[in-house]
PDB file of all heavy atoms in Angstrom:
ATOM      1  N   LEU A   1       7.073  -6.956   6.328  1.00 88.00           N
ATOM      2  CA  LEU A   1       7.179  -6.898   7.781  1.00 88.00           C
ATOM      3  C   LEU A   1       6.186  -5.893   8.358  1.00 88.00           C
ATOM      4  O   LEU A   1       5.776  -4.952   7.669  1.00 88.00           O
ATOM      5  CB  LEU A   1       8.598  -6.508   8.189  1.00 88.00           C
ATOM      6  CG  LEU A   1       9.712  -7.465   7.758  1.00 88.00           C
ATOM      7  CD1 LEU A   1      11.071  -6.899   8.129  1.00 88.00           C
ATOM      8  CD2 LEU A   1       9.514  -8.837   8.379  1.00 88.00           C
ATOM      9  N   PRO A   2       5.768  -6.068   9.615  1.00 89.00           N
ATOM     10  CA  PRO A   2       4.779  -5.169  10.218  1.00 89.00           C
ATOM     11  C   PRO A   2       5.173  -3.693  10.159  1.00 89.00           C
ATOM     12  O   PRO A   2       4.357  -2.842   9.798  1.00 89.00           O
ATOM     13  CB  PRO A   2       4.686  -5.674  11.665  1.00 89.00           C
ATOM     14  CG  PRO A   2       5.053  -7.106  11.582  1.00 89.00           C
ATOM     15  CD  PRO A   2       6.095  -7.194  10.528  1.00 89.00           C
ATOM     16  N   ASN A   3       6.424  -3.395  10.512  1.00 87.00           N
ATOM     17  CA  ASN A   3       6.832  -1.983  10.492  1.00 87.00           C
ATOM     18  C   ASN A   3       6.902  -1.429   9.073  1.00 87.00           C
ATOM     19  O   ASN A   3       6.661  -0.240   8.844  1.00 87.00           O
ATOM     20  CB  ASN A   3       8.167  -1.796  11.216  1.00 87.00           C
ATOM     21  CG  ASN A   3       9.303  -2.573  10.572  1.00 87.00           C
ATOM     22  OD1 ASN A   3       9.087  -3.588   9.928  1.00 87.00           O
ATOM     23  ND2 ASN A   3      10.527  -2.100  10.756  1.00 87.00           N
ATOM     24  N   GLU A   4       7.208  -2.288   8.098  1.00 89.00           N
ATOM     25  CA  GLU A   4       7.225  -1.856   6.699  1.00 89.00           C
ATOM     26  C   GLU A   4       5.818  -1.498   6.223  1.00 89.00           C
ATOM     27  O   GLU A   4       5.625  -0.485   5.539  1.00 89.00           O
ATOM     28  CB  GLU A   4       7.806  -2.952   5.806  1.00 89.00           C
ATOM     29  CG  GLU A   4       9.282  -3.207   6.005  1.00 89.00           C
ATOM     30  CD  GLU A   4       9.794  -4.363   5.180  1.00 89.00           C
ATOM     31  OE1 GLU A   4       9.001  -5.294   4.895  1.00 89.00           O
ATOM     32  OE2 GLU A   4      10.973  -4.355   4.821  1.00 89.00           O
ATOM     33  N   LEU A   5       4.853  -2.327   6.601  1.00 92.00           N
ATOM     34  CA  LEU A   5       3.484  -2.073   6.160  1.00 92.00           C
ATOM     35  C   LEU A   5       2.943  -0.794   6.798  1.00 92.00           C
ATOM     36  O   LEU A   5       2.257   0.001   6.141  1.00 92.00           O
ATOM     37  CB  LEU A   5       2.587  -3.265   6.511  1.00 92.00           C
ATOM     38  CG  LEU A   5       1.168  -3.222   5.954  1.00 92.00           C
ATOM     39  CD1 LEU A   5       1.174  -3.020   4.442  1.00 92.00           C
ATOM     40  CD2 LEU A   5       0.403  -4.491   6.312  1.00 92.00           C
ATOM     41  N   ARG A   6       3.245  -0.577   8.058  1.00 90.00           N
ATOM     42  CA  ARG A   6       2.820   0.664   8.715  1.00 90.00           C
ATOM     43  C   ARG A   6       3.480   1.874   8.043  1.00 90.00           C
ATOM     44  O   ARG A   6       2.854   2.923   7.872  1.00 90.00           O
ATOM     45  CB  ARG A   6       3.193   0.634  10.183  1.00 90.00           C
ATOM     46  CG  ARG A   6       2.163   0.005  11.072  1.00 90.00           C
ATOM     47  CD  ARG A   6       0.861   0.786  11.107  1.00 90.00           C
ATOM     48  NE  ARG A   6       0.047   0.400  12.250  1.00 90.00           N
ATOM     49  CZ  ARG A   6      -1.165   0.820  12.473  1.00 90.00           C
ATOM     50  NH1 ARG A   6      -1.765   1.626  11.614  1.00 90.00           N
ATOM     51  NH2 ARG A   6      -1.838   0.431  13.543  1.00 90.00           N
ATOM     52  N   HIS A   7       4.734   1.725   7.660  1.00 90.00           N
ATOM     53  CA  HIS A   7       5.427   2.820   7.003  1.00 90.00           C
ATOM     54  C   HIS A   7       4.781   3.132   5.650  1.00 90.00           C
ATOM     55  O   HIS A   7       4.597   4.313   5.301  1.00 90.00           O
ATOM     56  CB  HIS A   7       6.898   2.477   6.809  1.00 90.00           C
ATOM     57  CG  HIS A   7       7.709   3.581   6.204  1.00 90.00           C
ATOM     58  ND1 HIS A   7       7.869   4.808   6.806  1.00 90.00           N
ATOM     59  CD2 HIS A   7       8.381   3.657   5.026  1.00 90.00           C
ATOM     60  CE1 HIS A   7       8.614   5.587   6.046  1.00 90.00           C
ATOM     61  NE2 HIS A   7       8.940   4.915   4.956  1.00 90.00           N
ATOM     62  N   ILE A   8       4.409   2.091   4.919  1.00 92.00           N
ATOM     63  CA  ILE A   8       3.714   2.296   3.644  1.00 92.00           C
ATOM     64  C   ILE A   8       2.412   3.053   3.873  1.00 92.00           C
ATOM     65  O   ILE A   8       2.066   3.980   3.129  1.00 92.00           O
ATOM     66  CB  ILE A   8       3.440   0.934   2.968  1.00 92.00           C
ATOM     67  CG1 ILE A   8       4.743   0.314   2.481  1.00 92.00           C
ATOM     68  CG2 ILE A   8       2.461   1.094   1.801  1.00 92.00           C
ATOM     69  CD1 ILE A   8       4.592  -1.106   1.985  1.00 92.00           C
ATOM     70  N   GLN A   9       1.686   2.664   4.908  1.00 93.00           N
ATOM     71  CA  GLN A   9       0.423   3.338   5.208  1.00 93.00           C
ATOM     72  C   GLN A   9       0.652   4.805   5.546  1.00 93.00           C
ATOM     73  O   GLN A   9      -0.109   5.677   5.116  1.00 93.00           O
ATOM     74  CB  GLN A   9      -0.281   2.633   6.366  1.00 93.00           C
ATOM     75  CG  GLN A   9      -1.667   3.185   6.672  1.00 93.00           C
ATOM     76  CD  GLN A   9      -2.393   2.401   7.748  1.00 93.00           C
ATOM     77  OE1 GLN A   9      -1.767   1.729   8.560  1.00 93.00           O
ATOM     78  NE2 GLN A   9      -3.707   2.465   7.746  1.00 93.00           N
ATOM     79  N   GLU A  10       1.706   5.082   6.281  1.00 90.00           N
ATOM     80  CA  GLU A  10       1.983   6.457   6.689  1.00 90.00           C
ATOM     81  C   GLU A  10       2.378   7.348   5.511  1.00 90.00           C
ATOM     82  O   GLU A  10       1.887   8.468   5.370  1.00 90.00           O
ATOM     83  CB  GLU A  10       3.088   6.467   7.743  1.00 90.00           C
ATOM     84  CG  GLU A  10       2.633   5.921   9.086  1.00 90.00           C
ATOM     85  CD  GLU A  10       3.791   5.744  10.054  1.00 90.00           C
ATOM     86  OE1 GLU A  10       4.951   5.973   9.640  1.00 90.00           O
ATOM     87  OE2 GLU A  10       3.543   5.374  11.214  1.00 90.00           O
ATOM     88  N   ILE A  11       3.263   6.861   4.637  1.00 91.00           N
ATOM     89  CA  ILE A  11       3.769   7.709   3.562  1.00 91.00           C
ATOM     90  C   ILE A  11       2.776   7.854   2.411  1.00 91.00           C
ATOM     91  O   ILE A  11       2.893   8.777   1.600  1.00 91.00           O
ATOM     92  CB  ILE A  11       5.128   7.204   3.026  1.00 91.00           C
ATOM     93  CG1 ILE A  11       4.985   5.833   2.364  1.00 91.00           C
ATOM     94  CG2 ILE A  11       6.162   7.187   4.145  1.00 91.00           C
ATOM     95  CD1 ILE A  11       6.265   5.338   1.714  1.00 91.00           C
ATOM     96  N   THR A  12       1.800   6.936   2.330  1.00 93.00           N
ATOM     97  CA  THR A  12       0.789   7.039   1.272  1.00 93.00           C
ATOM     98  C   THR A  12      -0.545   7.556   1.781  1.00 93.00           C
ATOM     99  O   THR A  12      -1.450   7.813   0.983  1.00 93.00           O
ATOM    100  CB  THR A  12       0.559   5.672   0.593  1.00 93.00           C
ATOM    101  OG1 THR A  12       0.126   4.719   1.578  1.00 93.00           O
ATOM    102  CG2 THR A  12       1.829   5.179  -0.072  1.00 93.00           C
ATOM    103  N   ALA A  13      -0.680   7.686   3.112  1.00 92.00           N
ATOM    104  CA  ALA A  13      -1.912   8.189   3.743  1.00 92.00           C
ATOM    105  C   ALA A  13      -3.133   7.346   3.385  1.00 92.00           C
ATOM    106  O   ALA A  13      -4.232   7.872   3.211  1.00 92.00           O
ATOM    107  CB  ALA A  13      -2.152   9.652   3.362  1.00 92.00           C
ATOM    108  N   VAL A  14      -2.969   6.019   3.290  1.00 94.00           N
ATOM    109  CA  VAL A  14      -4.096   5.133   3.040  1.00 94.00           C
ATOM    110  C   VAL A  14      -4.902   5.003   4.335  1.00 94.00           C
ATOM    111  O   VAL A  14      -4.349   4.586   5.354  1.00 94.00           O
ATOM    112  CB  VAL A  14      -3.629   3.742   2.572  1.00 94.00           C
ATOM    113  CG1 VAL A  14      -4.815   2.826   2.328  1.00 94.00           C
ATOM    114  CG2 VAL A  14      -2.801   3.858   1.314  1.00 94.00           C
ATOM    115  N   PRO A  15      -6.193   5.342   4.323  1.00 94.00           N
ATOM    116  CA  PRO A  15      -6.976   5.334   5.563  1.00 94.00           C
ATOM    117  C   PRO A  15      -7.139   3.964   6.213  1.00 94.00           C
ATOM    118  O   PRO A  15      -7.280   3.871   7.427  1.00 94.00           O
ATOM    119  CB  PRO A  15      -8.338   5.888   5.127  1.00 94.00           C
ATOM    120  CG  PRO A  15      -8.053   6.683   3.893  1.00 94.00           C
ATOM    121  CD  PRO A  15      -6.954   5.938   3.204  1.00 94.00           C
ATOM    122  N   LEU A  16      -7.138   2.887   5.407  1.00 96.00           N
ATOM    123  CA  LEU A  16      -7.391   1.550   5.951  1.00 96.00           C
ATOM    124  C   LEU A  16      -6.489   0.528   5.280  1.00 96.00           C
ATOM    125  O   LEU A  16      -6.406   0.475   4.054  1.00 96.00           O
ATOM    126  CB  LEU A  16      -8.850   1.153   5.748  1.00 96.00           C
ATOM    127  CG  LEU A  16      -9.250  -0.277   6.130  1.00 96.00           C
ATOM    128  CD1 LEU A  16      -9.058  -0.524   7.617  1.00 96.00           C
ATOM    129  CD2 LEU A  16     -10.688  -0.570   5.721  1.00 96.00           C
ATOM    130  N   VAL A  17      -5.837  -0.308   6.090  1.00 96.00           N
ATOM    131  CA  VAL A  17      -5.031  -1.419   5.582  1.00 96.00           C
ATOM    132  C   VAL A  17      -5.491  -2.696   6.278  1.00 96.00           C
ATOM    133  O   VAL A  17      -5.625  -2.732   7.506  1.00 96.00           O
ATOM    134  CB  VAL A  17      -3.530  -1.198   5.837  1.00 96.00           C
ATOM    135  CG1 VAL A  17      -2.732  -2.441   5.430  1.00 96.00           C
ATOM    136  CG2 VAL A  17      -3.032   0.021   5.068  1.00 96.00           C
ATOM    137  N   ILE A  18      -5.751  -3.723   5.470  1.00 96.00           N
ATOM    138  CA  ILE A  18      -6.173  -5.025   5.986  1.00 96.00           C
ATOM    139  C   ILE A  18      -5.203  -6.089   5.462  1.00 96.00           C
ATOM    140  O   ILE A  18      -4.793  -6.056   4.301  1.00 96.00           O
ATOM    141  CB  ILE A  18      -7.603  -5.375   5.513  1.00 96.00           C
ATOM    142  CG1 ILE A  18      -8.616  -4.371   6.053  1.00 96.00           C
ATOM    143  CG2 ILE A  18      -7.982  -6.793   5.950  1.00 96.00           C
ATOM    144  CD1 ILE A  18      -8.779  -4.389   7.543  1.00 96.00           C
ATOM    145  N   GLY A  19      -4.851  -7.041   6.317  1.00 96.00           N
ATOM    146  CA  GLY A  19      -4.018  -8.162   5.900  1.00 96.00           C
ATOM    147  C   GLY A  19      -4.583  -9.471   6.418  1.00 96.00           C
ATOM    148  O   GLY A  19      -5.221  -9.501   7.475  1.00 96.00           O
ATOM    149  N   THR A  20      -4.381 -10.550   5.673  1.00 95.00           N
ATOM    150  CA  THR A  20      -4.857 -11.866   6.104  1.00 95.00           C
ATOM    151  C   THR A  20      -3.679 -12.724   6.563  1.00 95.00           C
ATOM    152  O   THR A  20      -2.548 -12.566   6.094  1.00 95.00           O
ATOM    153  CB  THR A  20      -5.600 -12.606   4.977  1.00 95.00           C
ATOM    154  OG1 THR A  20      -4.684 -12.953   3.932  1.00 95.00           O
ATOM    155  CG2 THR A  20      -6.718 -11.739   4.410  1.00 95.00           C
ATOM    156  N   LEU A  21      -3.976 -13.619   7.511  1.00 93.00           N
ATOM    157  CA  LEU A  21      -2.982 -14.557   8.028  1.00 93.00           C
ATOM    158  C   LEU A  21      -3.605 -15.941   8.170  1.00 93.00           C
ATOM    159  O   LEU A  21      -4.782 -16.069   8.531  1.00 93.00           O
ATOM    160  CB  LEU A  21      -2.466 -14.108   9.400  1.00 93.00           C
ATOM    161  CG  LEU A  21      -1.485 -12.932   9.467  1.00 93.00           C
ATOM    162  CD1 LEU A  21      -1.237 -12.568  10.925  1.00 93.00           C
ATOM    163  CD2 LEU A  21      -0.179 -13.271   8.771  1.00 93.00           C
ATOM    164  N   GLN A  22      -2.816 -16.977   7.899  1.00 89.00           N
ATOM    165  CA  GLN A  22      -3.228 -18.340   8.194  1.00 89.00           C
ATOM    166  C   GLN A  22      -3.083 -18.582   9.694  1.00 89.00           C
ATOM    167  O   GLN A  22      -2.644 -17.706  10.440  1.00 89.00           O
ATOM    168  CB  GLN A  22      -2.355 -19.332   7.405  1.00 89.00           C
ATOM    169  CG  GLN A  22      -2.478 -19.221   5.900  1.00 89.00           C
ATOM    170  CD  GLN A  22      -3.767 -19.849   5.386  1.00 89.00           C
ATOM    171  OE1 GLN A  22      -4.560 -20.410   6.145  1.00 89.00           O
ATOM    172  NE2 GLN A  22      -3.992 -19.750   4.082  1.00 89.00           N
ATOM    173  N   ILE A  23      -3.443 -19.776  10.157  1.00 83.00           N
ATOM    174  CA  ILE A  23      -3.287 -20.111  11.571  1.00 83.00           C
ATOM    175  C   ILE A  23      -2.288 -21.247  11.748  1.00 83.00           C
ATOM    176  O   ILE A  23      -2.006 -22.011  10.819  1.00 83.00           O
ATOM    177  CB  ILE A  23      -4.627 -20.501  12.227  1.00 83.00           C
ATOM    178  CG1 ILE A  23      -5.219 -21.757  11.562  1.00 83.00           C
ATOM    179  CG2 ILE A  23      -5.605 -19.359  12.184  1.00 83.00           C
ATOM    180  CD1 ILE A  23      -6.412 -22.325  12.303  1.00 83.00           C
ATOM    181  N   THR A  24      -1.757 -21.331  12.960  1.00 82.00           N
ATOM    182  CA  THR A  24      -0.855 -22.419  13.317  1.00 82.00           C
ATOM    183  C   THR A  24      -1.675 -23.637  13.760  1.00 82.00           C
ATOM    184  O   THR A  24      -2.903 -23.587  13.845  1.00 82.00           O
ATOM    185  CB  THR A  24       0.063 -21.985  14.473  1.00 82.00           C
ATOM    186  OG1 THR A  24      -0.760 -21.741  15.632  1.00 82.00           O
ATOM    187  CG2 THR A  24       0.817 -20.714  14.115  1.00 82.00           C
ATOM    188  N   LYS A  25      -0.990 -24.723  14.088  1.00 81.00           N
ATOM    189  CA  LYS A  25      -1.674 -25.908  14.590  1.00 81.00           C
ATOM    190  C   LYS A  25      -2.382 -25.634  15.910  1.00 81.00           C
ATOM    191  O   LYS A  25      -3.353 -26.310  16.256  1.00 81.00           O
ATOM    192  CB  LYS A  25      -0.677 -27.059  14.754  1.00 81.00           C
ATOM    193  CG  LYS A  25      -0.122 -27.582  13.427  1.00 81.00           C
ATOM    194  CD  LYS A  25       0.848 -28.725  13.652  1.00 81.00           C
ATOM    195  CE  LYS A  25       1.375 -29.256  12.324  1.00 81.00           C
ATOM    196  NZ  LYS A  25       2.351 -30.365  12.512  1.00 81.00           N
TER     197      LYS A  25
END
């Protein structure tokens, strides 16, 4: 989930996080 990923970034101090998404019709 979005808030989970942000939390991971905060507690690990990773400077950059990138995620990919498919598209809808």
Side-chain angles (χ1 to χ4, degrees):
L1 299 175
N3 61 334
E4 291 176 331
L5 188 54
R6 272 295 197 186
H7 183 61
I8 290 172
Q9 185 175 23
E10 289 171 356
I11 65 175
T12 59
V14 180
L16 174 63
V17 174
I18 297 294
T20 68
L21 285 174
Q22 297 283 358
I23 62 170
T24 64
K25 292 180 179 179

